[in-house]
Amino acid sequence: MSYQALYRVWRPQKFADLVGQPVITETLKNTIITDQISHAYLFAGPRGTGKTSAAKIFAKAVNCPNVKDGEPCNECKICQAITNGTLNDVIEIDAASNNGVDEIRDIRDKAKYAPTEATYKVYIIDEVHMLSTGAFNALLKTLEEPPANVIFILATTEPHKLPATIISRTQRFDFRRIQPRDILERMEYILNQKDVQYDDRALRVIAKAAEGGMRDALSILDQTMSYGDDVVTYENALQVTGSVTTSLLFEYVSQVFNQDVKAALVSVRKIMDAGKDASQFIEDLISYYQNILLYKQAPEMVLEQELGIVDDQFKQLSTDANADVIYQIIETLNNIQQQMRYTLHPDVYLEVLTVKIATIGNHQGISEGADSQVIQNLASQIDDLKQQINSLKQGRAQSVQSTPVAERPSDVKPASPVSRPAAKQAQPTNRSERVNLSKIYPILDHATRKDLNRIQGAWDELVQNLDVVHRSLMNITKPVAASDSGVVVSFSYNIFYQKAINDRELIDAVGNGLDRIIGYTPDLTFVPEEQWQKIRNDYLIHKRTHRQSDSDQNTAPQSADQGPKTDHGDTPDSMADDHAVAKSAAPEVVTKATELFGNDIVDVKND
Amino acid sequence: MNFYEVTTQLKKGELAPIYLVTGKQTYLMEQLKKQFVKMIPEADQTMNLASYDMDSTPLSEAMNDAMSAPFFGEHRLVIINNPLFLTGEKGKGKIDHATDELINYVQNPLPSTILVVMAPYEKLDARKKIVKMLKKQAVWVDLQEVNENETKKYVGQYLNHRGYQIDQSVMESLIQRTDGQLSAIMNDLPKLMIYCQKEKQITRDSVANLVTKTLNQNIFTLVDLVLKKQTTSAVSLYQELLMDGQSSIQINAVLLGQFRLLLQVMVLKNYGYSQGKLASSLKVHPYRVKLALQTSRHYQFKDLKRAFLGLTDIERQLKSTNESPELLFEMFMLKFA
């Protein structure tokens, strides 16, 4: 026998095989058990949900002499004849091609005659919505006064196209889309029966692609099997359905979330090289993003619809994801999808798209970053102010007591607990943009105006000579300090600063550029603009305390080992109180000034 | 005369020569027809019973039949179906009906013949002479819309009679799904009874699975689900509607209309409009206004406004882009909830 498609071989032959329509099969079985057969049925529902199968089984069950519990035996002559379509009393008509009045009249005339072999004459009219109006009217007549022992079973995918008069004369059953889980089980059953090896994930992909139609599912399964020599593998299932693996999708999506444009572009290339369809990819992406959103609100729905994509990674992603960003991304995806219809180069669009959606996150990042930056600044200012008030109070108490030398140990200690927590608080908030002070300080140590001017003069030319990507990045930078061996470059936006410090290629390109223009390659150090002021001030204070501790190492050891990261203002303050009269007059002026105006305003220049 | 009066009369064997049955209650009409047929003894039915469809048979044929005496037996029953010529509508009819014959007959009916005119229409054209004559001479049975209580009572009795039970809440959901249409309910009952034949108890589950919802009902449910922010159920209902072949624009328009009404009612109520005033100034059926007033009490203006704007946006996108309506609706629900 020639090859038969799976869905034909495995067409259900009894009600128990009919998957996903428990209520309908139960009702039909009961109909037969209790012998309450109506003369007309209407089976409505999407394709591949079992309408025609149910009709044929019903035809058998009605006529089978050894029917048991409403199920046909499938062994007697009548059952087999119906299965083979050779019984004269069960007539299957495709209304799509027999849609005229004449055909229906023909039925009407023949329906008058009693069945020859079977008990009931069964007319199965498939795609009944295709009948012409005249044909409907002719049919209506027959349904109104049906001859005895005739059953009409009308099957349709579009019940709304039937006249209400027809519907009201039938017993209507609405077939539902079959749940992916049921499809999955049925495929497993078939493959086990056929003794074919399969990958569980492959079946999930197929069950999802079938969109509730069993016939679709089995067709895809069939294709997948012939593709892979009777083995159902995940890869083949993906090939046949044209979908992108969830792991690749996940990879891409997480790269987009992390704004890793480069890696995401590589992923796109990989996906396109694998021969995936660009618009299919975008569709997959949209549904992936949508699932993330849905999962945030209604996890059970995603679990039900998407077999398999919900793993821990997905859960993590959906909890981390910012809904607003996803809305924007989906919008962009939609736009691109439309533009894509008119292009011959979908991959170009995909790449543009990748950059676009990765930067959607960026804008978000910038505005958020700016906000948190402002808050952080304010917080640190408040901390400063608190400490200054503290030290002022203490200073006053001391001046009243006026015994500086004896007071010193007890004076430094209360100050430092205040400063420590403040420092600790400040640290975690700006952990992402921590600047490498160990590289900056040596440069600042030797910084001169002349070097800076030279670099600044060369900067424009340098930026112009970089390639496009780097140029756009460096456009918002400026050199803020330079020594003969190093440059400090400030970035207007945190986000680009972060990108730049990890970009080896960029640093090399800038280094090379400078080498060409000014003749040597300085050490490049990047700082975010917002932090530059603070770093500079810290440096100045640090330098001063160093100088002080150099000059009186034995008197103030605490201040020296506090290092550059300690909160400014505090240690020098207490020290200034200590040594105000005895040691340097200049630091006292400075500290007084910072006390009054705060670090952000006072700009100390050491001459 | 109404349905019950006629049936009691028929049971008593009191017959009139001409009946005119009007109204859109197909189920009751069917029942009535059966009652009439019962009046002719079964043995005589082949000869003394005839039913004519005016869509395909000329009236004169039926009239000829009506004017001949019964073949043996006492009465001859002639049923005229689909007399479109009694209404103002124009059918595509290729058949010329000689209505004069009917007028003549109505004036001098044959006492042995029972002529039943079944007009399943809301309204007849009262200006037509034939209609005037019929209303005057015939027993006019007007099958009015059965109200909800009567429907419930009828369905309950029907089920009890056959040994079935139904809970009040299940009955409610049955009524809801069918829009309270008696014909629709009676059409679905056999299925329900067959499914529940073991327990003899109509279950909620069976109603949910076997009774087809009407579009109106679905839309109300959808509005409710949207307002209650039940994303999952709303989205799956929307998919079901699309699958049933409802056009997305239509669904959206109905949704939009409902929200618009809710908003209008809410705003105008704050200006002190009464229910009647609302109905007349909005030119909406008072019952809808009443329902809207009830519904709007449960929701906040802000929410309604957001939903309305969201739906307007969908409308715009449906018409200007190629995005799938399902996706748009899902996005709307996600944003709204």
Side-chain angles (χ1 to χ4, degrees):
Chain A
M1 201 178 98
S2 62
Y3 180 76
Q4 260 200 322
L6 271 185
Y7 72 85
R8 293 184 58 200
V9 181
W10 294 92
R11 198 182 257 288
Q13 299 300 346
K14 50 183 203 274
F15 286 123
D17 289 345
L18 205 63
V19 169
Q21 318 287 356
V23 177
I24 293 174
T25 50
E26 184 64 30
T27 312
L28 290 178
K29 271 199 287 188
N30 284 346
T31 307
I32 290 165
I33 294 170
T34 58
D35 201 26
Q36 298 185 34
I37 298 162
S38 162
H39 61 271
Y41 292 91
L42 172 64
F43 292 172
R47 71 191 139 79
T49 48
K51 297 179 299 295
T52 314
S53 300
K56 287 193 102 173
I57 298 170
F58 190 69
K60 275 191 275 188
V62 171
N63 286 319
C64 178
N66 348 309
V67 69
K68 204 179 150 209
D69 290 339
E71 295 274 20
C73 70
N74 273 322
E75 277 159 16
C76 63
K77 245 170 62 190
I78 291 182
C79 279
Q80 291 193 337
I82 295 177
T83 309
N84 297 332
T86 50
L87 190 75
N88 283 328
D89 292 330
V90 174
I91 301 123
E92 253 191 282
I93 301 156
D94 176 24
S97 45
N98 302 300
N99 58 359
V101 192
D102 293 340
E103 279 94 351
I104 300 299
R105 284 221 179 108
D106 191 42
I107 293 176
R108 197 170 66 175
D109 295 342
K110 282 186 183 153
K112 280 181 205 152
Y113 307 117
T116 49
E117 283 172 80
T119 345
Y120 286 96
K121 228 176 183 172
V122 183
Y123 285 91
I124 301 173
I125 307 181
D126 229 336
E127 307 297 338
V128 72
H129 61 270
M130 299 294 283
L131 290 179
S132 63
T133 334
F136 270 129
N137 284 333
L139 184 62
L140 190 59
K141 283 283 108 58
T142 325
L143 292 181
E144 262 174 8
E145 280 139 25
N149 286 350
V150 171
I151 302 170
F152 285 93
I153 303 178
L154 315 179
T156 180
T157 46
E158 294 172 67
H160 57 278
K161 286 192 179 160
L162 303 189
T165 40
I166 296 259
I167 294 181
S168 73
R169 287 183 202 284
T170 58
Q171 244 180 51
R172 175 173 174 174
F173 289 94
D174 285 303
F175 285 64
R176 277 137 210 270
R177 280 202 224 189
I178 303 171
Q179 289 301 312
R181 193 151 301 285
D182 292 331
I183 297 183
L184 195 69
E185 274 167 21
R186 179 73 178 163
M187 286 194 293
E188 276 170 2
Y189 171 78
I190 290 175
L191 291 176
N192 286 335
Q193 292 284 307
K194 282 184 67 104
D195 210 9
V196 170
Q197 284 193 324
Y198 61 87
D199 185 337
D200 200 39
R201 288 177 302 161
L203 297 193
R204 285 166 197 275
V205 170
I206 297 172
K208 192 183 167 243
E211 287 178 346
M214 185 62 86
R215 186 168 54 234
D216 293 2
L218 294 187
S219 300
I220 299 172
L221 186 63
D222 220 351
Q223 270 186 61
T224 316
M225 273 167 60
S226 50
Y227 204 82
D229 257 351
D230 276 0
V231 182
V232 182
T233 63
Y234 184 49
E235 286 72 28
N236 288 343
L238 290 172
Q239 283 282 340
V240 170
T241 53
S243 36
V244 181
T245 70
T246 36
S247 62
L248 257 181
L249 262 183
F250 169 78
E251 205 179 296
Y252 179 80
V253 170
S254 55
Q255 280 158 353
V256 167
F257 269 122
N258 295 332
Q259 295 154 18
D260 191 348
V261 178
K262 209 162 154 190
L265 283 173
V266 172
S267 298
V268 169
R269 199 89 328 260
K270 233 196 292 181
I271 290 162
M272 298 311 292
D273 285 348
K276 304 293 179 202
D277 182 42
S279 49
Q280 175 71 39
F281 172 63
I282 291 195
E283 234 155 71
D284 286 354
L285 260 184
I286 294 180
S287 85
Y288 198 90
Y289 277 118
Q290 213 169 5
N291 278 326
I292 292 178
L293 283 179
L294 258 183
Y295 190 79
K296 277 168 169 273
Q297 282 186 11
E300 71 285 355
M301 190 176 185
V302 181
L303 286 173
E304 190 183 299
Q305 284 187 344
E306 311 289 331
L307 307 159
I309 72 156
V310 181
D311 48 14
D312 290 341
Q313 285 180 318
F314 179 81
K315 283 180 192 158
Q316 185 59 37
L317 200 62
S318 46
T319 35
D320 288 351
N322 177 348
D324 287 330
V325 175
I326 298 182
Y327 288 129
Q328 288 183 44
I329 288 180
I330 293 184
E331 221 158 88
T332 321
L333 283 169
N334 277 328
N335 288 338
I336 295 274
Q337 194 176 26
Q338 279 174 41
Q339 291 166 15
M340 215 129 85
R341 284 166 216 272
Y342 308 108
T343 179
L344 296 172
H345 306 284
D347 37 348
V348 176
Y349 275 91
L350 270 192
E351 279 168 17
V352 172
L353 166 90
T354 306
V355 177
K356 240 187 194 169
I357 58 180
T359 40
I360 285 174
N362 256 343
H363 294 311
Q364 209 68 29
I366 287 170
S367 63
E368 266 177 21
D371 282 352
S372 60
Q373 192 69 36
V374 170
I375 293 168
Q376 202 180 305
N377 283 344
L378 289 173
S380 67
Q381 276 181 14
I382 290 173
D383 278 343
D384 285 353
L385 288 172
K386 270 189 195 157
Q387 282 156 22
Q388 282 160 18
I389 291 169
N390 270 348
S391 55
L392 268 176
K393 277 184 190 159
Q394 279 159 10
R396 216 168 262 164
Q398 281 158 26
S399 61
V400 172
Q401 288 186 339
S402 73
T403 45
V405 185
E407 283 294 319
R408 200 200 316 129
S410 58
D411 170 45
V412 177
K413 268 177 198 156
S416 43
V418 182
S419 71
R420 286 264 160 71
K424 264 183 209 155
Q425 274 166 8
Q427 263 174 7
T429 45
N430 61 2
R431 108 193 94 74
S432 55
E433 51 254 13
R434 271 277 290 284
V435 177
N436 189 354
L437 292 174
S438 63
K439 269 181 97 182
I440 296 179
Y441 280 22
I443 299 175
L444 292 184
D445 277 343
H446 301 102
T448 62
R449 191 77 223 168
K450 201 180 91 208
D451 286 324
L452 182 61
N453 285 343
R454 213 151 69 123
I455 303 274
Q456 273 173 347
W459 202 252
D460 272 347
E461 191 186 343
L462 167 78
V463 171
Q464 287 313 309
N465 283 330
L466 292 171
D467 67 35
V468 188
V469 181
H470 292 151
R471 192 193 305 155
S472 63
L473 205 54
M474 297 306 284
N475 260 336
I476 51 145
T477 62
K478 59 172 184 279
V480 285
S483 69
D484 51 0
S485 63
V487 189
V488 179
V489 180
S490 89
F491 279 75
S492 303
Y493 301 107
N494 260 334
I495 202 83
F496 295 117
Y497 160 70
Q498 275 167 36
K499 217 177 246 171
I501 48 170
N502 293 320
D503 195 342
R504 204 57 249 171
E505 229 173 89
L506 171 75
I507 294 171
D508 287 348
V510 174
N512 288 340
L514 283 174
D515 187 34
R516 213 175 52 246
I517 301 167
I518 58 174
Y520 66 94
T521 313
D523 271 345
L524 281 170
T525 313
F526 297 148
V527 295
E529 198 178 37
E530 290 124 331
Q531 287 189 30
W532 168 240
Q533 273 311 329
K534 188 166 172 286
I535 291 169
R536 210 163 94 129
N537 287 335
D538 283 356
Y539 168 75
L540 291 174
I541 291 157
H542 168 78
K543 205 170 167 187
R544 195 171 58 237
T545 50
H546 258 282
R547 203 183 291 157
Q548 277 170 2
S549 51
D550 282 348
S551 58
D552 61 23
Q553 258 164 3
N554 24 1
T555 46
Q558 301 98 324
S559 64
D561 59 37
Q562 300 238 335
K565 260 178 274 172
T566 37
D567 225 352
H568 38 276
D570 173 44
T571 343
D573 259 2
S574 49
M575 270 171 34
D577 281 337
D578 292 345
H579 311 287
V581 196
K583 300 296 168 194
S584 52
E588 195 204 15
V589 172
V590 172
T591 44
K592 202 78 199 168
T594 41
E595 238 174 75
L596 286 172
F597 303 109
N599 278 319
D600 291 332
I601 297 172
V602 176
D603 191 356
V604 182
K605 282 188 180 159
N606 272 8
D607 283 320
Chain B
M1 228 184 258
N2 68 25
F3 180 75
Y4 297 100
E5 288 165 353
V6 181
T7 37
T8 42
Q9 272 200 0
L10 286 179
K11 273 178 190 153
K12 279 189 219 157
E14 293 168 16
L15 287 167
I18 306 172
Y19 289 91
L20 170 64
V21 185
T22 56
K24 277 198 123 173
Q25 297 291 308
T26 42
Y27 173 75
L28 292 181
M29 210 168 248
E30 243 9 83
Q31 292 300 310
L32 208 53
K33 214 181 262 181
K34 279 186 197 154
Q35 299 271 4
F36 279 118
V37 171
K38 263 194 215 157
M39 302 313 294
I40 309 292
E42 211 156 316
D44 296 351
Q45 280 187 8
T46 34
M47 292 313 293
N48 287 339
L49 167 69
S51 176
Y52 296 93
D53 184 355
M54 291 301 109
D55 277 352
S56 50
T57 344
L59 182 62
S60 35
E61 218 168 286
M63 286 297 95
N64 274 338
D65 201 12
M67 281 189 283
S68 38
F71 194 76
F72 298 112
E74 222 177 309
H75 294 288
R76 172 185 286 275
L77 176 64
V78 176
I79 301 174
I80 293 179
N81 292 307
N82 300 325
L84 203 62
F85 53 81
L86 295 184
T87 68
E89 283 170 60
K90 278 223 176 89
K92 297 150 269 177
K94 316 139 218 174
I95 300 155
D96 272 339
H97 292 295
T99 46
D100 286 347
E101 285 182 38
L102 184 57
I103 294 171
N104 287 335
Y105 178 82
V106 169
Q107 279 163 337
N108 307 297
L110 213 66
S112 60
T113 300
I114 312 165
L115 179 68
V116 181
V117 181
M118 294 281 186
Y121 312 114
E122 207 75 57
K123 241 184 173 176
L124 302 182
D125 187 352
R127 291 166 303 176
K128 285 192 174 165
K129 191 179 176 197
I130 173 77
V131 177
K132 280 182 195 156
M133 294 289 294
L134 271 174
K135 281 186 178 171
K136 212 163 93 190
Q137 303 288 333
V139 175
W140 181 20
V141 185
D142 195 10
L143 300 178
Q144 289 298 334
E145 192 87 30
V146 190
N147 69 32
E148 205 177 299
N149 276 333
E150 273 175 42
T151 309
K152 276 187 199 163
K153 215 169 96 188
Y154 188 88
V155 173
Q157 276 175 0
Y158 183 90
L159 285 172
N160 276 336
H161 198 64
R162 285 157 182 76
Y164 285 83
Q165 301 292 318
I166 186 165
D167 275 354
Q168 202 51 43
S169 65
V170 180
M171 174 77 90
E172 284 296 334
S173 84
L174 180 63
I175 299 267
Q176 229 179 44
R177 281 178 162 261
T178 49
D179 248 359
Q181 295 288 322
L182 185 62
S183 315
I185 297 177
M186 296 318 285
N187 205 19
D188 278 329
L189 274 186
K191 273 191 295 188
L192 292 173
M193 290 195 295
I194 290 170
Y195 182 68
C196 304
Q197 49 124 357
K198 279 196 196 109
E199 304 83 14
K200 298 279 177 194
Q201 170 88 29
I202 307 292
T203 58
R204 175 174 291 277
D205 195 41
S206 65
V207 172
N209 277 295
L210 288 170
V211 179
T212 317
K213 273 191 193 175
T214 61
L215 172 65
N216 270 343
Q217 208 43 58
N218 274 323
I219 292 288
F220 278 125
T221 322
L222 193 58
V223 171
D224 224 36
L225 288 175
V226 169
L227 283 173
K228 284 187 183 142
K229 304 189 175 176
Q230 294 179 353
T231 313
T232 322
S233 336
V235 169
S236 57
L237 178 58
Y238 193 84
Q239 285 170 347
E240 253 173 60
L241 284 174
L242 286 183
M243 225 165 60
D244 276 353
Q246 300 297 341
S247 106
S248 51
I249 291 187
Q250 197 185 347
I251 303 177
N252 206 60
V254 179
L255 269 178
L256 208 50
Q258 188 61 25
F259 276 102
R260 180 159 164 262
L261 182 68
L262 285 176
L263 277 171
Q264 285 174 327
V265 165
M266 194 180 255
V267 171
L268 290 180
K269 195 179 74 184
N270 289 342
Y271 282 104
Y273 277 59
S274 68
Q275 187 179 320
K277 189 91 186 295
L278 271 172
S280 60
S281 54
L282 291 176
K283 295 198 177 83
V284 181
H285 195 278
Y287 185 62
R288 275 191 75 200
V289 174
K290 188 180 151 202
L291 280 183
L293 274 170
Q294 280 172 7
T295 320
S296 66
R297 224 168 280 153
H298 302 293
Y299 302 106
Q300 299 211 315
F301 179 75
K302 194 178 68 191
D303 275 355
L304 291 175
K305 185 176 154 194
R306 227 149 52 85
F308 184 75
L309 290 177
L311 287 167
T312 326
D313 198 46
I314 293 189
E315 178 101 18
R316 188 179 55 74
Q317 294 199 50
L318 276 178
K319 289 171 177 170
S320 63
T321 66
N322 277 325
E323 281 169 41
S324 93
E326 238 169 281
L327 180 90
L328 286 173
F329 185 76
E330 240 172 80
M331 293 292 293
F332 160 71
M333 270 317 288
L334 287 170
K335 265 188 202 168
F336 179 65

